[in-house]
Amino acid sequence: MKLTGKKENFDEFLFKVDELGYAINDLLPASWTLNLSESTNKLSELLSDSHLKIKQKTVTSTDSVAIQIKTSLQDTELQVSASSDVTLESENQLEYVLNWWQWQINCQLALIAEISNVFETTEEYEVS
């Protein structure tokens, strides 16, 4: 994970996203993958209420051996963002194509969980 933006706001951003993680756990049912439309709407509402925006970009390698999903979470108030990349090797590409929507949400939740982990464990993070 990489943090960018106003360094003086990093700690507040980490705390805010950690709290968001708890809200997501409370609002999304354990079976969230069974109703992706409703889960996406709930996640979008939570992010919007917190002044957070998710951006994702999917890139396929030129040899089509891997797919890279770049996910970033931006706080428009604090002017801080966090980003991470997930690379799927060729054996997961078919699964990715079949479950595209679920992969997108999984990457969003994984980034939020990674930010929470940094906040709760004071784990090191990359700054740029």
Side-chain angles (χ1 to χ4, degrees), residues 104-120:
Q104 298 295 309
I105 297 171
N106 273 336
C107 288
Q108 293 172 19
L109 295 175
L111 178 57
I112 291 166
E114 190 174 358
I115 294 166
S116 288
N117 187 49
V118 167
F119 176 76
E120 292 181 5

PDB file of all heavy atoms in Angstrom, residues 104-120:
ATOM      1  N   GLN A 104     -13.799  -6.658  -8.284  1.00  0.00           N
ATOM      2  CA  GLN A 104     -13.691  -5.220  -8.060  1.00  0.00           C
ATOM      3  C   GLN A 104     -13.969  -4.884  -6.594  1.00  0.00           C
ATOM      4  O   GLN A 104     -13.219  -4.140  -5.961  1.00  0.00           O
ATOM      5  CB  GLN A 104     -14.679  -4.461  -8.965  1.00  0.00           C
ATOM      6  CG  GLN A 104     -14.434  -4.632 -10.451  1.00  0.00           C
ATOM      7  CD  GLN A 104     -13.121  -4.053 -10.915  1.00  0.00           C
ATOM      8  OE1 GLN A 104     -12.795  -2.917 -10.632  1.00  0.00           O
ATOM      9  NE2 GLN A 104     -12.356  -4.836 -11.634  1.00  0.00           N
ATOM     10  N   ILE A 105     -15.049  -5.425  -6.055  1.00  0.00           N
ATOM     11  CA  ILE A 105     -15.396  -5.163  -4.659  1.00  0.00           C
ATOM     12  C   ILE A 105     -14.357  -5.773  -3.728  1.00  0.00           C
ATOM     13  O   ILE A 105     -13.956  -5.153  -2.735  1.00  0.00           O
ATOM     14  CB  ILE A 105     -16.811  -5.693  -4.339  1.00  0.00           C
ATOM     15  CG1 ILE A 105     -17.859  -4.949  -5.170  1.00  0.00           C
ATOM     16  CG2 ILE A 105     -17.120  -5.539  -2.856  1.00  0.00           C
ATOM     17  CD1 ILE A 105     -19.252  -5.526  -5.084  1.00  0.00           C
ATOM     18  N   ASN A 106     -13.888  -6.981  -4.046  1.00  0.00           N
ATOM     19  CA  ASN A 106     -12.852  -7.615  -3.218  1.00  0.00           C
ATOM     20  C   ASN A 106     -11.612  -6.736  -3.109  1.00  0.00           C
ATOM     21  O   ASN A 106     -11.028  -6.601  -2.026  1.00  0.00           O
ATOM     22  CB  ASN A 106     -12.448  -8.976  -3.792  1.00  0.00           C
ATOM     23  CG  ASN A 106     -13.331 -10.093  -3.312  1.00  0.00           C
ATOM     24  OD1 ASN A 106     -13.963 -10.008  -2.262  1.00  0.00           O
ATOM     25  ND2 ASN A 106     -13.396 -11.162  -4.087  1.00  0.00           N
ATOM     26  N   CYS A 107     -11.203  -6.137  -4.213  1.00  0.00           N
ATOM     27  CA  CYS A 107     -10.019  -5.272  -4.193  1.00  0.00           C
ATOM     28  C   CYS A 107     -10.277  -4.013  -3.361  1.00  0.00           C
ATOM     29  O   CYS A 107      -9.385  -3.538  -2.656  1.00  0.00           O
ATOM     30  CB  CYS A 107      -9.601  -4.908  -5.614  1.00  0.00           C
ATOM     31  SG  CYS A 107      -8.872  -6.306  -6.501  1.00  0.00           S
ATOM     32  N   GLN A 108     -11.482  -3.474  -3.421  1.00  0.00           N
ATOM     33  CA  GLN A 108     -11.824  -2.298  -2.618  1.00  0.00           C
ATOM     34  C   GLN A 108     -11.780  -2.651  -1.132  1.00  0.00           C
ATOM     35  O   GLN A 108     -11.163  -1.935  -0.330  1.00  0.00           O
ATOM     36  CB  GLN A 108     -13.221  -1.786  -2.988  1.00  0.00           C
ATOM     37  CG  GLN A 108     -13.305  -1.226  -4.380  1.00  0.00           C
ATOM     38  CD  GLN A 108     -14.727  -0.894  -4.802  1.00  0.00           C
ATOM     39  OE1 GLN A 108     -15.616  -0.739  -3.977  1.00  0.00           O
ATOM     40  NE2 GLN A 108     -14.943  -0.789  -6.100  1.00  0.00           N
ATOM     41  N   LEU A 109     -12.403  -3.762  -0.772  1.00  0.00           N
ATOM     42  CA  LEU A 109     -12.423  -4.183   0.633  1.00  0.00           C
ATOM     43  C   LEU A 109     -11.019  -4.544   1.126  1.00  0.00           C
ATOM     44  O   LEU A 109     -10.675  -4.270   2.273  1.00  0.00           O
ATOM     45  CB  LEU A 109     -13.393  -5.355   0.817  1.00  0.00           C
ATOM     46  CG  LEU A 109     -14.867  -5.053   0.556  1.00  0.00           C
ATOM     47  CD1 LEU A 109     -15.703  -6.328   0.653  1.00  0.00           C
ATOM     48  CD2 LEU A 109     -15.391  -3.985   1.502  1.00  0.00           C
ATOM     49  N   ALA A 110     -10.215  -5.137   0.249  1.00  0.00           N
ATOM     50  CA  ALA A 110      -8.849  -5.494   0.635  1.00  0.00           C
ATOM     51  C   ALA A 110      -8.018  -4.248   0.931  1.00  0.00           C
ATOM     52  O   ALA A 110      -7.235  -4.233   1.886  1.00  0.00           O
ATOM     53  CB  ALA A 110      -8.191  -6.319  -0.472  1.00  0.00           C
ATOM     54  N   LEU A 111      -8.185  -3.199   0.129  1.00  0.00           N
ATOM     55  CA  LEU A 111      -7.446  -1.958   0.381  1.00  0.00           C
ATOM     56  C   LEU A 111      -7.883  -1.338   1.698  1.00  0.00           C
ATOM     57  O   LEU A 111      -7.049  -0.909   2.503  1.00  0.00           O
ATOM     58  CB  LEU A 111      -7.635  -0.965  -0.765  1.00  0.00           C
ATOM     59  CG  LEU A 111      -6.951   0.397  -0.593  1.00  0.00           C
ATOM     60  CD1 LEU A 111      -5.444   0.261  -0.381  1.00  0.00           C
ATOM     61  CD2 LEU A 111      -7.251   1.291  -1.791  1.00  0.00           C
ATOM     62  N   ILE A 112      -9.183  -1.313   1.958  1.00  0.00           N
ATOM     63  CA  ILE A 112      -9.684  -0.766   3.221  1.00  0.00           C
ATOM     64  C   ILE A 112      -9.156  -1.589   4.399  1.00  0.00           C
ATOM     65  O   ILE A 112      -8.709  -1.035   5.409  1.00  0.00           O
ATOM     66  CB  ILE A 112     -11.227  -0.702   3.207  1.00  0.00           C
ATOM     67  CG1 ILE A 112     -11.682   0.371   2.202  1.00  0.00           C
ATOM     68  CG2 ILE A 112     -11.795  -0.420   4.603  1.00  0.00           C
ATOM     69  CD1 ILE A 112     -13.150   0.328   1.842  1.00  0.00           C
ATOM     70  N   ALA A 113      -9.134  -2.910   4.269  1.00  0.00           N
ATOM     71  CA  ALA A 113      -8.602  -3.777   5.326  1.00  0.00           C
ATOM     72  C   ALA A 113      -7.108  -3.539   5.529  1.00  0.00           C
ATOM     73  O   ALA A 113      -6.617  -3.519   6.666  1.00  0.00           O
ATOM     74  CB  ALA A 113      -8.865  -5.241   4.992  1.00  0.00           C
ATOM     75  N   GLU A 114      -6.378  -3.328   4.445  1.00  0.00           N
ATOM     76  CA  GLU A 114      -4.939  -3.063   4.544  1.00  0.00           C
ATOM     77  C   GLU A 114      -4.672  -1.750   5.268  1.00  0.00           C
ATOM     78  O   GLU A 114      -3.777  -1.657   6.108  1.00  0.00           O
ATOM     79  CB  GLU A 114      -4.327  -3.043   3.144  1.00  0.00           C
ATOM     80  CG  GLU A 114      -2.823  -3.018   3.133  1.00  0.00           C
ATOM     81  CD  GLU A 114      -2.253  -3.152   1.727  1.00  0.00           C
ATOM     82  OE1 GLU A 114      -3.005  -3.305   0.751  1.00  0.00           O
ATOM     83  OE2 GLU A 114      -1.013  -3.083   1.630  1.00  0.00           O
ATOM     84  N   ILE A 115      -5.473  -0.726   4.975  1.00  0.00           N
ATOM     85  CA  ILE A 115      -5.330   0.562   5.661  1.00  0.00           C
ATOM     86  C   ILE A 115      -5.646   0.403   7.143  1.00  0.00           C
ATOM     87  O   ILE A 115      -4.929   0.926   8.001  1.00  0.00           O
ATOM     88  CB  ILE A 115      -6.241   1.626   5.009  1.00  0.00           C
ATOM     89  CG1 ILE A 115      -5.778   1.917   3.572  1.00  0.00           C
ATOM     90  CG2 ILE A 115      -6.254   2.912   5.831  1.00  0.00           C
ATOM     91  CD1 ILE A 115      -6.779   2.694   2.741  1.00  0.00           C
ATOM     92  N   SER A 116      -6.702  -0.340   7.457  1.00  0.00           N
ATOM     93  CA  SER A 116      -7.056  -0.587   8.865  1.00  0.00           C
ATOM     94  C   SER A 116      -5.930  -1.303   9.585  1.00  0.00           C
ATOM     95  O   SER A 116      -5.617  -0.995  10.737  1.00  0.00           O
ATOM     96  CB  SER A 116      -8.334  -1.424   8.962  1.00  0.00           C
ATOM     97  OG  SER A 116      -9.446  -0.667   8.592  1.00  0.00           O
ATOM     98  N   ASN A 117      -5.320  -2.258   8.918  1.00  0.00           N
ATOM     99  CA  ASN A 117      -4.220  -3.008   9.523  1.00  0.00           C
ATOM    100  C   ASN A 117      -3.045  -2.089   9.835  1.00  0.00           C
ATOM    101  O   ASN A 117      -2.420  -2.194  10.887  1.00  0.00           O
ATOM    102  CB  ASN A 117      -3.786  -4.146   8.604  1.00  0.00           C
ATOM    103  CG  ASN A 117      -2.780  -5.050   9.265  1.00  0.00           C
ATOM    104  OD1 ASN A 117      -2.973  -5.492  10.395  1.00  0.00           O
ATOM    105  ND2 ASN A 117      -1.700  -5.337   8.561  1.00  0.00           N
ATOM    106  N   VAL A 118      -2.754  -1.171   8.934  1.00  0.00           N
ATOM    107  CA  VAL A 118      -1.670  -0.210   9.174  1.00  0.00           C
ATOM    108  C   VAL A 118      -1.996   0.641  10.398  1.00  0.00           C
ATOM    109  O   VAL A 118      -1.149   0.864  11.262  1.00  0.00           O
ATOM    110  CB  VAL A 118      -1.436   0.690   7.931  1.00  0.00           C
ATOM    111  CG1 VAL A 118      -0.549   1.876   8.275  1.00  0.00           C
ATOM    112  CG2 VAL A 118      -0.831  -0.110   6.800  1.00  0.00           C
ATOM    113  N   PHE A 119      -3.239   1.095  10.495  1.00  0.00           N
ATOM    114  CA  PHE A 119      -3.650   1.928  11.625  1.00  0.00           C
ATOM    115  C   PHE A 119      -3.564   1.148  12.937  1.00  0.00           C
ATOM    116  O   PHE A 119      -3.038   1.645  13.933  1.00  0.00           O
ATOM    117  CB  PHE A 119      -5.076   2.452  11.428  1.00  0.00           C
ATOM    118  CG  PHE A 119      -5.578   3.238  12.611  1.00  0.00           C
ATOM    119  CD1 PHE A 119      -5.138   4.539  12.825  1.00  0.00           C
ATOM    120  CD2 PHE A 119      -6.449   2.671  13.521  1.00  0.00           C
ATOM    121  CE1 PHE A 119      -5.578   5.260  13.927  1.00  0.00           C
ATOM    122  CE2 PHE A 119      -6.902   3.386  14.619  1.00  0.00           C
ATOM    123  CZ  PHE A 119      -6.465   4.683  14.822  1.00  0.00           C
ATOM    124  N   GLU A 120      -4.064  -0.075  12.949  1.00  0.00           N
ATOM    125  CA  GLU A 120      -4.160  -0.839  14.193  1.00  0.00           C
ATOM    126  C   GLU A 120      -2.834  -1.441  14.641  1.00  0.00           C
ATOM    127  O   GLU A 120      -2.658  -1.712  15.820  1.00  0.00           O
ATOM    128  CB  GLU A 120      -5.228  -1.920  14.050  1.00  0.00           C
ATOM    129  CG  GLU A 120      -6.621  -1.316  13.951  1.00  0.00           C
ATOM    130  CD  GLU A 120      -7.721  -2.338  13.822  1.00  0.00           C
ATOM    131  OE1 GLU A 120      -7.446  -3.552  13.897  1.00  0.00           O
ATOM    132  OE2 GLU A 120      -8.874  -1.921  13.648  1.00  0.00           O
TER     133      GLU A 120
END
